[in-house]
Amino acid sequence: MAMQLTAKIGPSILNADLSQLSEESQRLIDNGADYLHLDVMDGHFVPNLTFGHPLVKCLRSKVKDAFLETHMMVSNPDQWIEPMADAGVNQYTFHVEPVKDVPLVCRKVKEAGMKVGVALKPGTPVDVVVEYVDLADMVLIMTVEPGFGGQQFMYSMMDKVAWLRKNYPTLDIEVDGGVGLTTIEACAKAGANMIVSGTAVIGSPDQAKVINTLRNTVNCVLQDS
């Protein structure tokens, strides 16, 4: 768990031009991104298919100092721990829904040298994390259904964020899905401090301005709390 909470902005590179991925990723870092959020989909846990550890390894060779988080939207997250660690991933965030033994996967991720993130789909009750939150570095609350683009931000998920912040004051809490300039205030007030934003950042002609606005909105709330 983080001792001193700060805002961290992690653009999702899924909206970037994948043929220019290293250049686009470096531009995001240069424009102030704190980390890069890499959506890994297996076509099974979610219907879409994206990329795997070979691409992540190639990206790491180009953006050597960036903090990389992989959001594993996969049915068997256990299978990809070692390959992603070898690819240079810093934080391995996996969905709890398909996993029978979440604490075991958390321990394996830590043993592989990565930080642990546990992700919850919108339909998953937030209090399931009680069993393993002490093994996690971060909890991700999905604010859309994973695996589908272009969805509306689910404001009802802010209740989950608020519950986590109340019960775990120093926990890193991430939100992902439909997060941008019109929804960031709700996320910040609920208690989220790690912000994944795709289209709002990638599609902006002034990425630095959007990243700064997102960060400042969250930090203002953190300072007042």
Side-chain angles (χ1 to χ4, degrees):
M1 289 186 181
M3 293 310 295
Q4 182 60 50
L5 285 177
T6 58
K8 301 181 185 109
I9 311 302
S12 168
I13 66 166
L14 197 59
N15 299 91
D17 180 353
L18 295 181
S19 70
Q20 302 285 326
L21 188 55
S22 63
E23 293 89 342
E24 295 237 356
S25 296
Q26 187 59 57
R27 185 160 66 102
L28 289 166
I29 296 298
D30 293 343
N31 282 325
D34 297 291
Y35 64 105
L36 298 177
H37 183 88
L38 315 183
D39 290 303
V40 178
M41 306 180 193
D42 64 355
H44 187 260
F45 179 68
V46 293
N48 290 326
L49 190 66
T50 55
F51 48 77
H53 57 277
L55 183 143
V56 177
K57 193 167 189 173
C58 289
L59 180 61
R60 170 55 80 202
S61 71
K62 300 291 187 181
V63 286
K64 299 182 186 300
D65 299 324
F67 188 97
L68 301 181
E69 176 198 12
T70 49
H71 178 191
M72 306 299 296
M73 288 173 268
V74 298
S75 294
N76 185 16
D78 196 49
Q79 179 180 356
W80 309 110
I81 294 172
E82 290 296 336
M84 285 301 184
D86 178 67
V89 168
N90 301 102
Q91 179 162 300
Y92 191 90
T93 299
F94 66 96
H95 275 268
V96 303
E97 291 85 8
V99 178
K100 290 182 179 178
D101 192 340
V102 173
L104 178 62
V105 177
C106 289
R107 285 192 288 271
K108 286 184 176 181
V109 172
K110 281 194 184 293
E111 287 166 6
M114 297 180 289
K115 285 191 167 188
V116 178
V118 292
L120 307 182
K121 292 170 69 174
T124 303
V126 68
D127 57 3
V128 300
V129 304
V130 171
E131 299 173 30
Y132 38 76
V133 70
D134 57 328
L135 296 170
D137 296 288
M138 182 274 283
V139 175
L140 163 57
I141 298 298
M142 290 298 298
T143 45
V144 298
E145 286 293 340
F148 300 89
Q151 297 176 72
Q152 292 296 310
F153 177 87
M154 297 180 179
Y155 282 93
S156 58
M157 294 300 106
M158 295 303 96
D159 291 342
K160 290 185 181 181
V161 175
W163 184 91
L164 283 172
R165 181 56 68 220
K166 179 182 177 183
N167 288 280
Y168 307 102
T170 59
L171 178 69
D172 276 327
I173 303 171
E174 186 176 68
V175 286
D176 178 16
V179 181
L181 297 177
T182 60
T183 52
I184 186 60
E185 191 166 347
C187 297
K189 286 182 175 177
N193 69 299
M194 292 184 69
I195 308 299
V196 177
S197 185
T199 308
V201 173
I202 303 291
S204 172
D206 192 342
Q207 292 182 351
K209 183 178 180 181
V210 175
I211 290 171
N212 280 330
T213 301
L214 296 174
R215 180 184 292 112
N216 291 340
T217 303
V218 174
N219 277 334
C220 282
V221 173
L222 288 172
Q223 289 164 9
D224 291 340
S225 58

